[in-house]
Amino acid sequence: MAFFAKGRIFAAAAAVVAMLGLATGAEAAASCGKNGAGFDAWKQDFAAEAKANGVGQRGLSALAGATYATRTIAADRAIHKAFSGSVEAFMKRRGASAIISRGRALKKANAAMFANIERTYGVPPGVLLAIWGMETGFGASMGNQNTVSAILTLAYDCRRPDYFTPHAIAALKLVDRGALSASSVGAMHGEIGHTQFLPGNVLKYGVGSGNLRDRNTALASTANFLKAHGWHAGASYEANMGAIAGWNSASVYQQAIARIAEAIDAD
């Protein structure tokens, strides 16, 4: 899920906060910052918050070793540019034709897997392949930014701490579970795996092992996410735009996914 708000930012944040049972009110978050100067002090305060919300020693150790992710902040400040312009221009920039061609080939080569996912979740191959191709080039580019540092930096940053704090807690819990490590890498905003889940969504929608760097697990988890966001089996992509919007709130992204998915499924 390329970060542009996987769904509506504040509604999603509230839902994740409730799901993770995070502290609210006076006992909640450490003070935010606008640069790296206060990050180490913030980590010490955040450790108490994380511990109060069930993070164990492995997660706390990962928190202690995290560093301020300057590249993540730079990417975050430029995020709206990535979703600018017309749908046609966006699709061209993202290589839609290549995604469709490769998606059709992968659909045929993995027909049994996609059939099983569709039986289980009611989600057809096209949209999963469109998201997979759009997010990571079918797993070719899952990112090289340290995941724990990225998500903690965004939880510390004053721009959207309420949104990213529950995902930061989730990332530390995933370290506790062994699904992540302190050295795991992913996308600039802390997204994980083939289809780029934020950590809180791994906890909520990840299936099986929850290892989103495993292709089959990532695709099944993506189908589970779409089903949970209202995907109607057998309905058109137009009728399922609400579920696609749950994945990413950028209109050009939603329309591109629907067009690419239709083209893949039409083959």
Side-chain angles (χ1 to χ4, degrees), residues 2-90:
F3 175 80
F4 176 70
K6 298 353 189 220
R8 291 167 177 78
I9 288 177
F10 296 109
V16 178
V17 168
M19 181 269 292
L20 295 176
L22 295 186
T24 57
E27 68 174 6
S31 298
C32 68
K34 295 183 178 180
N35 56 51
F39 186 61
D40 286 339
W42 175 87
K43 288 195 302 177
Q44 295 178 29
D45 292 338
F46 192 70
E49 185 178 347
K51 188 173 182 180
N53 284 285
V55 174
Q57 191 53 52
R58 291 173 69 179
L60 294 173
S61 294
L63 166 61
T67 58
Y68 184 76
T70 304
R71 290 191 303 144
T72 287
I73 293 300
D76 187 59
R77 299 299 184 260
I79 193 68
H80 288 278
K81 294 180 182 178
F83 298 93
S84 62
S86 67
V87 178
E88 292 75 16
F90 177 75

